[in-house]
């Protein structure tokens, strides 16, 4: 009964158009002060201790690194490198967009940042070369979602904080699925381009490819610094995020010199604003989780789901349906912070690996970012392309179906996610 009251109140507040963070906070306060005897001091204490975790510091640093890279010309050089490698195939520039999104995802950790950085450069070039705007928008909107699957990933950090799972293992687990999804999105792009006779570019010489690689090498090196630093034990994921922010600042301002010193203040303010928004959501989600735990709701829901006789296969299918449905109303950060504490205990009880479960959730979040009504990538792409959300929804459909098929494969073939972490960390 309490669970019904809590979720009904949350749903009503969200339907009024209230931001998810405030809806969460008001739900908690209303329930605590009217239906329980929890002292207000406990609420205040939870607000501060909830974000007093070292891992959370990775989020603002990755956001800052992504913003420096977005403004610092790194995206343009990655596009040039990608074009030199795959531009001569059918739909060359579109394929270059998929590859550039995968490369930029590996240094930014954010899907919207990937869509903005790559899309704002490559979409006008695609239209100029003769691609329909709808096709280009479909490619970039869905490929941009790789930003939260290919490590480093802000959503993975949030899952880690919520479930006390290793961030390093999650990052490692995202590598193979990320490469696989990038390949499948590229395959879909190539097949459509070949069928429709879209333009291709001349084949670049190896000299041109080497030159493009050299120019983009400073940006690509960030992948080695972050991932290599974490897995060599040189620094933690949070320290890696801080190193990424400093490195991104240096190459944007002093190496590539595309970002002027006078523009750094704006980048810092934009990053602080986005970080504050995410941290505020996290804080209220921690409060919500505290309320759920104090009312014993996750344990009761876990017991109820187990009592239904759901096996692992049926449970994972139900999880996918719940998360895809939640993607219609909430953005990824909120879904992870609300749903993970509820679903995680059941998954572990049924023998689902925590790392595999984390990747499953992240892939669901990717799909959610590309479909209406609140698909974040759709709104970002809409701003770049000046296309309506309904038109974009039709445009992304072939790639969205590819992502859904990939979601089912990742759900029921855990080795895709667990092979690399087991290779590095041993049996998990």
């Amino acid at each position: 009964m309490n669970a019904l009251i809590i979720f009904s109140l949350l749903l009503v507040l969200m339907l009024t158009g209230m931001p998810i963070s405030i809806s969460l906070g008001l739900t908690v306060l209303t329930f605590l002060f009217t239906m329980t005897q929890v002292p207000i001091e406990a609420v205040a204490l939870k607000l501060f201790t909830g974000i007093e975790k070292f891992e959370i510091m990775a989020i603002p640093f990755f956001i800052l690194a992504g913003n420096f890279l977005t403004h610092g010309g790194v995206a343009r050089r990655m596009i040039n490198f990608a074009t030199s490698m795959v531009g001569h195939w059918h739909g060359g520039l579109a394929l270059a967009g998929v590859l550039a999104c995968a490369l930029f995802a590996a240094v930014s950790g954010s899907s919207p940042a990937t869509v903005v950085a790559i899309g704002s450069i490559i979409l006008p070039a695609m239209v100029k070369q003769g691609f329909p705007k709808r096709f280009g928008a479909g490619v970039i909107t869905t490929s941009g979602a790789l930003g939260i699957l290919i490590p480093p990933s802000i959503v993975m950090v949030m899952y880690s904080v919520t479930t006390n799972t290793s961030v390093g293992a999650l990052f490692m687990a995202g590598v193979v699925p990320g490469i696989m999804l990038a390949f499948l999105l590229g395959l879909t792009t190539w097949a459509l381009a070949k069928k429709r006779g879209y333009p291709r570019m001349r084949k670049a010489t190896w000299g041109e490819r080497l030159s493009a690689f050299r120019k983009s090498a400073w940006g690509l090196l960030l992948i080695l610094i972050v991932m290599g630093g974490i897995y060599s034990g040189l620094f933690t994921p949070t320290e890696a995020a801080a190193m990424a922010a400093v490195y991104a600042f240096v190459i944007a301002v002093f190496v590539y010199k595309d970002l002027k010193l006078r523009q750094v203040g704006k980048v810092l303010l934009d990053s602080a604003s986005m970080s504050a928004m995410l941290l505020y959501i996290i804080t209220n989600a921690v409060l919500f989780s505290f309320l759920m735990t104090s009312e014993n709701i996750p344990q009761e829901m876990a017991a109820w789901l187990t009592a239904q006789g759901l096996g692992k296969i049926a449970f994972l299918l139900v999880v996918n349906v719940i998360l895809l449905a939640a993607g219609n109303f909430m953005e990824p950060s909120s879904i992870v912070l609300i749903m993970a504490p509820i679903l995680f205990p059941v998954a572990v009880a049924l023998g689902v690996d925590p790392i595999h479960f984390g990747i499953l959730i992240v892939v669901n979040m990717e799909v959610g970012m590309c479909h209406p009504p609140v698909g974040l990538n759709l709104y970002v792409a809409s701003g770049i392309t000046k296309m309506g959300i309904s038109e974009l929804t039709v445009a992304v459909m072939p790639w969205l179906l590819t992502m859904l098929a990939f979601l089912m494969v990742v759900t029921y073939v855990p080795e895709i996610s667990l092979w690399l972490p087991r290779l590095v960390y041993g049996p998990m």
Side-chain angles (χ1 to χ4, degrees):
M1 187 63 188
N2 284 349
L4 186 62
I5 293 169
I6 291 167
F7 282 108
S8 298
L9 183 56
L10 178 62
L11 188 61
V12 168
L13 289 172
M14 284 169 57
L15 288 173
T16 63
M18 191 178 290
I20 182 70
S21 53
I22 297 174
S23 300
L24 284 168
L26 276 180
T27 299
V28 172
L29 294 176
T30 303
F31 188 88
L32 284 179
F33 295 151
T34 59
M35 303 190 70
T36 70
Q37 301 299 314
V38 176
I40 194 168
E41 290 83 0
V43 177
L45 184 65
K46 203 68 190 171
L47 274 170
F48 286 98
T49 57
I51 57 170
E52 213 174 30
K53 292 184 177 178
F54 186 61
E55 293 88 349
I56 289 179
M57 283 301 296
I59 294 170
F61 283 127
F62 278 132
I63 289 171
L64 181 58
N67 279 344
F68 276 130
L69 295 171
T70 305
H71 290 85
V74 174
R76 187 177 69 252
R77 289 171 176 85
M78 284 185 174
I79 290 170
N80 291 339
F81 172 60
T83 304
S84 72
M85 297 303 294
V86 298
H88 58 285
W89 292 345
H90 290 282
L93 205 51
L95 280 175
V98 177
L99 180 55
C101 281
L103 292 172
F104 195 81
V107 295
S108 71
S110 165
S111 284
T114 304
V115 174
V116 170
I118 304 299
S120 56
I121 299 168
I122 209 163
L123 278 173
M126 286 178 69
V127 172
K128 189 176 179 182
Q129 203 179 83
F131 287 89
K133 186 191 280 190
R134 181 180 285 190
F135 182 81
V139 171
I140 299 303
T141 303
T142 49
S143 300
L146 292 166
I148 61 171
L149 179 57
I150 296 177
S153 162
I154 292 168
V155 173
M156 285 183 190
V157 175
M158 290 185 170
Y159 174 82
S160 164
V161 168
T162 309
T163 60
N164 288 319
T165 310
S166 164
V167 184
L170 278 167
F171 280 4
M172 184 64 80
V175 173
V176 174
I179 292 171
M180 277 184 67
L181 183 55
F183 173 77
L184 291 172
L185 292 173
L187 189 64
T188 304
T189 303
W190 174 83
L192 289 171
K194 186 177 181 183
K195 181 182 176 182
R196 298 171 186 174
Y198 291 153
R200 54 205 289 192
M201 304 170 76
R202 71 169 183 84
K203 189 172 183 177
T205 65
W206 282 105
E208 289 169 331
R209 288 174 178 177
L210 188 60
S211 173
F213 174 74
R214 271 204 217 98
K215 289 174 182 173
S216 62
W218 285 103
L220 296 172
L221 190 59
L222 184 55
I223 303 170
L224 288 178
I225 290 174
V226 172
M227 303 307 290
I230 292 171
Y231 300 121
S232 66
L234 201 58
F235 34 70
T236 66
T238 304
E239 291 163 348
M243 285 293 295
V246 173
Y247 180 82
F249 165 74
V250 171
I251 63 169
V253 176
F254 299 110
V255 179
Y256 290 147
K257 299 180 181 176
D258 291 314
L259 187 70
K260 306 300 177 192
L261 275 172
R262 64 174 180 274
Q263 296 173 293
V264 171
K266 185 180 184 305
V267 173
L268 290 171
L269 282 173
D270 289 346
S271 303
S273 175
M274 194 182 299
S275 301
M277 179 190 73
L278 280 176
L279 290 172
Y280 188 58
I281 293 173
I282 292 170
T283 305
N284 283 291
V286 166
L287 262 188
F288 189 78
S289 180
F290 165 68
L291 171 63
M292 300 282 281
T293 306
S294 69
E295 294 299 311
N296 214 35
I297 290 169
Q299 293 85 342
E300 287 179 11
M301 290 184 77
W304 181 82
L305 281 168
T306 308
Q308 302 311 302
L310 290 178
K312 188 190 292 188
I313 292 173
F315 169 72
L316 291 177
L317 184 62
V318 169
V319 167
N320 282 335
V321 171
I322 290 170
L323 293 176
L324 290 173
N328 287 309
F329 308 103
M330 294 184 281
E331 45 80 44
S333 307
S334 307
I335 297 173
V336 171
L337 293 166
I338 295 170
M339 295 294 183
I342 299 169
L343 298 171
F344 183 77
V346 191
V348 172
L350 289 172
V352 179
D353 188 281
I355 301 297
H356 170 227
F357 194 63
I359 298 301
L360 181 150
I361 288 179
V362 171
V363 176
N364 269 289
M365 298 305 97
E366 282 192 296
V367 176
M369 295 188 88
C370 300
H371 69 70
V374 295
L376 205 55
N377 283 12
L378 286 179
Y379 285 95
V380 174
S382 176
I384 295 170
T385 61
K386 304 295 184 281
M387 290 167 65
I389 297 298
S390 55
E391 190 181 359
L392 270 172
T393 303
V394 175
V396 302
M397 202 52 67
W399 295 273
L400 196 58
L401 292 173
T402 302
M403 292 171 79
L404 284 168
F406 176 72
L407 171 61
M408 296 312 294
V409 174
V410 165
T411 300
Y412 293 114
V413 187
E415 282 306 312
I416 293 172
S417 307
L418 299 177
W419 174 75
L420 200 54
R422 282 174 178 163
L423 195 66
V424 175
Y425 295 105
M428 302 183 73

